[in-house]
Amino acid sequence: MGRAADMLGTTPAFLRSLGEHRLITPLRSEGGHRRYSRYQLRIAARARELVDAGTAVEAACRIIALEDQLEEAQRINEQLRARAR
């Protein structure tokens, strides 16, 4: 967790808060250490951008979840359009 926090320029507490808000759920090593995927690190970086801009952590998590839903809906929409051609 410390290395991930260093990479993002944030604190371990910030990463824990993202987990508490269920934005990211890191896997655990055999020793119990949190292990973040590249995707989770990108999500955490996006959350940090929003928080740095003055958005509350709870709101940032919701915004990111909605952005993900929108991206997925757009991908499905594009697939449906391609099939209709």
Side-chain angles (χ1 to χ4, degrees):
M1 173 181 277
R3 189 169 8 162
D6 287 344
M7 288 172 55
L8 297 171
T10 189
T11 63
F14 178 76
L15 292 175
R16 277 193 297 277
S17 73
L18 297 181
E20 290 168 6
H21 289 90
R22 296 188 178 125
L23 182 63
I24 55 176
T25 306
L27 296 174
R28 297 273 182 160
S29 69
E30 288 182 19
H33 300 284
R34 289 174 178 89
R35 303 190 78 159
Y36 296 93
S37 68
R38 288 184 180 131
Y39 175 75
Q40 290 171 330
L41 291 174
R42 282 196 310 270
I43 295 287
R46 175 69 176 129
R48 181 172 183 257
E49 288 173 9
L50 291 169
V51 170
D52 286 351
T55 306
V57 172
E58 300 85 8
C61 292
R62 184 68 181 137
I63 289 167
I64 293 166
L66 291 170
E67 287 174 344
D68 270 358
Q69 289 174 4
L70 176 60
E71 186 178 312
E72 177 68 9
Q74 289 172 330
R75 186 187 61 75
I76 290 169
N77 216 6
E78 188 59 39
Q79 288 176 346
L80 293 172
R81 285 186 184 140
R83 285 187 209 160
R85 292 180 194 158

